């Protein structure tokens, strides 16, 4: 009986040892599997990162800042894991499952970062019309672009130049043709329809099916055209502009399309004509006052056109003229010339006149 009892005790002691060995083998496998998944996630992230460096190599500023962001993210990741498992000896403190836990957390963080990085690749480009997309807009290689220049970079440079109409409905244009100029920061455009100044908003989208261009309803001045032919050109130009849904860039030529493959408008792209005085808008009027007193000798008349749209900021001077009457009395004529690209129909403007006495 004593021998039987002894054997029974030994058997009872051996059972937990056998279970512990099996448990250790299972945990080791779990640790290995979790860390293999982490390594796989890290490899995928590096693949996406290298893809961005290749596809966006023309954007030096983006690449420089993205590299800095990636280095900072790695520092953050390591610090986060250190805070999650802060013990000096984490294996002893958190047990045999610690490697699996750490690798699982590492894989989760890496996968999240990979999805963030995909925003800069063709696979994860921002949705059309996303005004907050920033540099994550699609960058695809265009056959007409210079080597290494993505379609986004090429199109972006096109919108920083003047578009002069060269063809519409089979008719060619030369001097006096309608033109467009763009403010890429505001998403606005201005220009001429041939007879009148025009302005409006625009939206650009990049997608596998083509490059989209949406034009908001166009605002125009109300000057009469010189003749019926010029009036018809203006009418057709504005109608085609508002019907535009996409554009195509070929060298220094931009074509606008609606729903078919026949171009509505064809423009030649060139430098902005900022020094052309004839392209300036003007505000004319006279300065007078009710008091029946003469202007003092040496008096100066100061006339300003101000943008007063923001109540929380000082007004912005759009144009200014300083007149020295030299003995002339009111009314005194003035003319303010301004760059039409500085005028936004959504803003409020005011004229301010001051008469300064001479010393």
């Amino acid at each position: 009986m004593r021998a039987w009892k002894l054997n029974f005790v030994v058997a009872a002691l051996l059972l937990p040892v056998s279970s512990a060995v099996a448990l250790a083998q299972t945990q080791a496998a779990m640790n290995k599997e979790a860390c293999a998944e982490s390594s796989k996630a890290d490899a995928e992230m590096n693949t996406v990162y290298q893809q961005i460096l290749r596809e966006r190599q023309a954007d030096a500023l983006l690449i420089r800042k993205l590299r800095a962001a990636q280095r900072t993210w790695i520092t953050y990741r390591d610090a986060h894991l250190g805070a999650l498992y802060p013990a000096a000896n984490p294996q002893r403190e958190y047990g045999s499952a610690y490697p699996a836990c750490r690798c699982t957390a590492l894989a989760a963080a890496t996968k999240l970062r990979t999805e963030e990085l995909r925003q800069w690749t063709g696979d994860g480009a921002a949705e059309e019309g996303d005004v907050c997309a920033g540099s994550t807009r699609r960058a695809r290689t265009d056959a007409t672009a210079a080597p290494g220049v993505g379609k986004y970079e090429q199109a972006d440079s096109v919108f920083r130049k003047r578009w002069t109409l060269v063809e519409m409905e089979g008719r060619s244009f030369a001097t006096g043709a309608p033109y467009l100029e763009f403010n890429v920061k505001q998403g606005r455009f201005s220009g001429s329809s041939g007879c009148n100044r025009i302005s409006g908003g625009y939206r650009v989208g990049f997608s596998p099916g083509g490059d989209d261009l949406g034009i908001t309803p166009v605002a125009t001045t109300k000057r009469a055209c010189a003749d019926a032919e010029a009036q018809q050109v203006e009418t057709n130009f504005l109608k085609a502009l508002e019907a535009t849904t996409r554009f195509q860039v070929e060298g220094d030529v931009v074509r606008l399309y609606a729903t078919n493959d026949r171009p509505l408008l064809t423009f030649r792209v060139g430098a902005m004509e900022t020094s052309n005085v004839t392209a300036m808008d003007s505000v004319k009027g006279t300065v007078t006052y009710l008091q029946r007193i003469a202007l003092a000798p040496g008096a100066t008349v100061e006339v300003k056109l101000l943008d007063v749209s923001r109540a929380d900021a000082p007004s912005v001077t759009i144009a200014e003229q300083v007149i020295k009457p030299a003995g002339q009395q009111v009314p005194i004529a003035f003319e303010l010339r301004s760059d039409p690209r500085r005028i936004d129909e959504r803003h409020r403007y005011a004229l301010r006149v001051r008469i300064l006495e001479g010393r």
Side-chain angles (χ1 to χ4, degrees):
M1 293 295 293
R2 289 181 181 177
W4 180 84
K5 287 182 180 179
L6 181 59
N7 290 337
F8 178 81
V9 171
V10 171
L13 291 174
L14 288 176
L15 284 174
V17 173
S18 177
S19 298
V21 171
L23 181 61
Q25 291 175 342
T26 302
Q27 186 60 57
M30 292 173 62
N31 292 346
K32 183 178 180 180
E33 182 179 355
C35 291
E37 181 65 23
S38 176
S39 297
K40 180 180 177 181
D42 187 69
E44 182 179 7
M45 180 183 68
N46 286 328
T47 298
V48 173
Y49 181 68
Q50 293 301 322
Q51 179 183 352
I52 298 170
L53 298 184
R54 290 193 307 272
E55 293 181 352
R56 308 303 294 270
Q57 59 181 316
D59 193 339
L61 180 60
L62 167 62
I63 295 301
R64 177 167 59 83
K65 294 198 171 186
L66 186 64
R67 289 184 188 276
Q70 189 66 4
R71 288 193 295 267
T72 302
W73 177 82
I74 292 173
T75 301
Y76 159 78
R77 177 201 65 187
D78 294 342
H80 176 72
L81 289 173
L84 190 60
Y85 302 106
N89 189 337
Q91 185 76 49
R92 183 174 61 185
E93 180 70 20
Y94 307 114
S96 60
Y98 164 71
C101 296
R102 186 182 187 282
C103 287
T104 299
L106 180 59
T110 303
K111 289 177 181 179
L112 182 61
R113 177 57 179 166
T114 301
E115 291 307 308
E116 292 176 341
L117 291 173
R118 286 192 197 281
Q119 297 177 94
W120 282 280
T121 69
D123 297 331
E127 292 292 330
E128 174 188 343
D130 185 352
V131 296
C132 298
S135 64
T136 63
R137 284 175 288 186
R138 184 180 301 275
R140 296 181 287 112
T141 301
D142 183 77
T144 62
V149 178
K151 175 164 280 190
Y152 164 70
E153 287 80 7
Q154 184 193 29
D156 183 64
S157 66
V158 165
F159 281 92
R160 297 179 185 275
K161 299 177 180 179
R162 170 178 284 203
W163 296 10
T164 302
L165 186 69
V166 294
E167 185 176 339
M168 178 177 66
E169 299 177 335
R171 174 181 172 179
S172 298
F173 292 83
T175 59
Y179 68 88
L180 300 175
E181 293 178 347
F182 299 84
N183 185 322
V184 295
K185 291 184 178 180
Q186 296 181 359
R188 308 284 301 171
F189 72 88
S190 61
S192 169
S193 60
C195 305
N196 285 278
R197 294 291 307 169
I198 62 174
S199 62
Y202 74 98
R203 172 186 51 78
V204 178
F206 299 90
S207 62
D211 299 331
D212 303 325
L213 176 63
I215 301 292
T216 65
V218 181
T220 73
T221 55
K222 302 299 181 182
R223 299 172 184 169
C225 294
D227 51 48
E229 182 181 3
Q231 180 65 61
Q232 190 62 51
V233 168
E234 179 180 69
T235 300
N236 293 346
F237 176 73
L238 295 176
K239 182 178 179 180
L241 198 59
E242 293 187 350
T244 297
T245 60
R246 61 188 178 91
F247 71 102
Q248 180 185 52
V249 181
E250 293 183 1
D252 64 347
V253 173
V254 178
R255 294 183 175 87
L256 305 187
Y257 298 85
T259 56
N260 55 38
D261 293 331
R262 181 180 179 182
L264 297 173
L265 303 169
T266 301
F267 295 89
R268 181 80 62 186
V269 177
M272 296 284 196
E273 298 181 14
T274 57
S275 61
N276 186 358
V277 176
T278 62
M280 303 290 279
D281 279 346
S282 64
V283 178
K284 299 179 180 180
T286 57
V287 176
T288 189
Y289 49 82
L290 297 178
Q291 293 89 341
R292 300 183 63 180
I293 56 176
L295 286 174
T300 300
V301 179
E302 178 187 87
V303 185
K304 289 185 177 182
L305 174 62
L306 304 174
D307 185 335
V308 294
S309 304
R310 295 186 58 182
D312 60 342
S315 58
V316 177
T317 300
I318 303 298
E320 178 180 5
Q321 183 180 13
V322 177
I323 305 169
K324 295 183 177 181
Q328 179 186 351
Q329 299 298 317
V330 295
I332 297 174
F334 70 86
E335 180 178 4
L336 298 176
R337 292 181 176 272
S338 63
D339 186 338
R341 289 171 296 177
R342 300 189 65 187
I343 303 299
D344 188 328
E345 67 267 20
R346 299 171 299 178
H347 291 194
R348 293 184 298 110
Y349 299 89
L351 282 175
R352 187 179 74 184
V353 180
R354 295 196 304 169
I355 298 177
L356 308 175
E357 293 186 357
R359 295 181 179 178

